[in-house]
Each structure stands twice: as C-alpha cells, then as structure tokens.
Amino acid sequence: MYPYTRYHGLSIFLHWAIALGLIFMVGSGVYMVNFEMPKADQFQLFQTHKAAGVIMLWAIVLRILTRWLSKQPPMPEAFTAKEKALAKAGHIALYTALIAMPLTGWLMVSASPFGLPTFVFTDAIKWPHIPFVERNKTIESIARNMHWVIASGLVLMIIGHIGAVVMHKKKQGISLIQRMWWSKSS
Ligand code: HEM
C-alpha cells in the first residue's frame, strides 16, 4: 500500500546480507595482505576472499536491480531539503563504492601476470577473468591500489551511514531502522 513505509523484502534481505558479507570481505582482505601466516594458509585465504567476492558481486548487482525496480519508501517528511539531498548523495556514493569493490578485485586478478584462476568454492564453478584485460603488472597494480583506496572510502562511508541513522534517531526521534526491517503489516 502507498506510501510505502519500508523497503522491498528482497532489498532488506540483501542490505543485511551484504553488510555481513562486507565485514568478512574487509576483515579477510586486510588480514591476508598484512599479517604473517604460512604461505599455504595465505593462498587459501586469497582463494576464499576471491570466491566470496564473486558472490558479493552478484549480491550487489541484485541489490542495485531491486533498488531500481521496486518502489521506495519516501524520505521522512521531517527531513530538510538539505538532509534529503545529502542522504541521496550518500546512498549513490555507497552503491558506487559497493560495485567498484568486486570490480576492481576482478580486474586485479584478471590482469595479474600469474593468471591464477578463481573458483567459486568448488572446482566445478570457475569464474572467468575479464576477457579483454591483458596480463599486465601496471594494470594489476592500479587495480590493487583502487581496491585498497575504495575499501578505505567504503569503511568511512559506512561509519557515516550508521552515524546518520543514530543522529536522526537522537536529534529528531526518527527511527530509520524500521524502514530496513521486515514487518507483517506492510
Ligand atoms: C565487496 C567486495 C570486496 C571487498 C569489500 C574487498 C575488500 C578487500 C580489502 C579490504 C583488501 C585488502 C586491501 C589492502 O589492504 O591492500 C582486499 C584485497 C584483495 N582482494 Fe578484495 N574485496 C572484495 C572483492 C574482491 C574480489 C571480487 C576479488 C577477486 C575476484 C578480490 C581480490 C582481492 C585480492 C587478490 C586482494 C589482495 C591484494 C594484494 O595482493 O595486495 N576482492 N580486498
């Protein structure tokens, strides 16, 4: 029934699944690159990170499609025009960073001179390299730097995103979390 008071059920599911996935992706990424461990364990962690990253790519594409194709709850009336514009810009920035994360990871492994394949948790599912990308150390290095910079920006944006939810609750008493949770009534 319009006006909607919450997001589509699939959007809600994907929002929280991706949030959990991001904790794993950032945690595993930082750990495997910066911490000492036996080479075999590091290799295994890289493979797990890549496989989970492919799932994240699909989940993020589906999330963007659901966002685009479903009806959105309007922003709370109590928001000022500036707050509405800020929220919109923040959400666009978040989606952009979200999709750029797996794409730069994919670019990095596609350009790697090692040419290691990516399997999605089973040898039966081999994820291809990007077809038109040549194995080239410079491209790999640019993609690696982008992957790191965007991950750092994403973490900052997520802190801002959570901060905004808390701030609206404390200052205006608006509970935004209800819009992103299931309910039997709507
Ligand atoms: C939402 C998805 C993803 C997130 C949030 C993410 C996050 C990260 C982070 C935080 C790092 C550590 C960066 C550093 O400290 O230098 C990292 C490294 C890495 N990621 Fe991802 N990643 C994602 C998807 C992917 C995908 C899809 C692939 C490949 C298929 C991938 C391949 C790699 C590789 C190979 C590294 C190691 C880079 C190096 O050798 O320095 N990632 N990732």
Side-chain angles (χ1 to χ4, degrees):
M1 207 197 323
Y2 196 81
Y4 299 93
T5 53
R6 63 192 76 244
Y7 286 90
H8 189 277
L10 183 57
S11 284
I12 298 176
F13 169 75
L14 288 166
H15 175 274
W16 295 110
I18 289 169
L20 284 178
L22 282 177
I23 295 173
F24 174 75
M25 293 309 296
V26 173
S28 62
V30 170
Y31 186 73
M32 73 194 191
V33 169
N34 297 294
F35 287 81
E36 286 284 321
M37 68 186 93
K39 278 271 166 271
D41 292 354
Q42 190 187 38
F43 178 80
Q44 199 46 57
L45 196 49
F46 263 69
Q47 302 317 307
T48 307
H49 180 91
K50 292 195 302 174
V54 171
I55 309 272
M56 289 293 284
L57 172 64
W58 282 103
I60 291 161
V61 168
L62 190 58
R63 169 90 172 91
I64 292 171
L65 280 177
T66 318
R67 171 73 176 72
W68 188 38
L69 295 174
S70 63
K71 295 258 184 341
Q72 308 309 311
M75 289 212 192
E77 279 171 21
F79 273 26
T80 62
K82 194 175 158 203
E83 284 172 336
K84 284 183 185 168
L86 256 176
K88 194 169 180 195
H91 293 162
I92 292 172
L94 269 169
Y95 282 118
T96 308
L98 273 180
I99 193 72
M101 276 318 298
L103 290 183
T104 49
W106 190 17
L107 178 62
M108 186 192 336
V109 298
S110 302
S112 166
F114 293 119
L116 289 177
T118 299
F119 292 102
V120 186
F121 295 116
T122 152
D123 289 354
I125 308 176
K126 187 176 170 191
W127 181 251
H129 288 152
I130 305 173
F132 52 85
V133 171
E134 57 179 280
R135 289 191 197 165
N136 176 303
K137 247 197 143 353
T138 310
I139 300 178
E140 184 201 21
S141 167
I142 292 170
R144 177 181 290 120
N145 286 333
M146 287 171 73
H147 202 61
W148 183 81
V149 170
I150 297 167
S152 311
L154 184 60
V155 169
L156 291 178
M157 281 191 253
I158 291 171
I159 293 171
H161 182 64
I162 298 169
V165 173
V166 173
M167 189 273 289
H168 284 299
K169 175 76 187 162
K170 284 203 160 166
K171 286 201 167 161
Q172 295 154 304
I174 302 172
S175 179
L176 293 167
I177 207 92
Q178 286 173 10
R179 294 155 59 85
M180 203 38 104
W181 201 255
W182 300 269
S183 150
K184 283 188 190 128
S185 59
S186 63

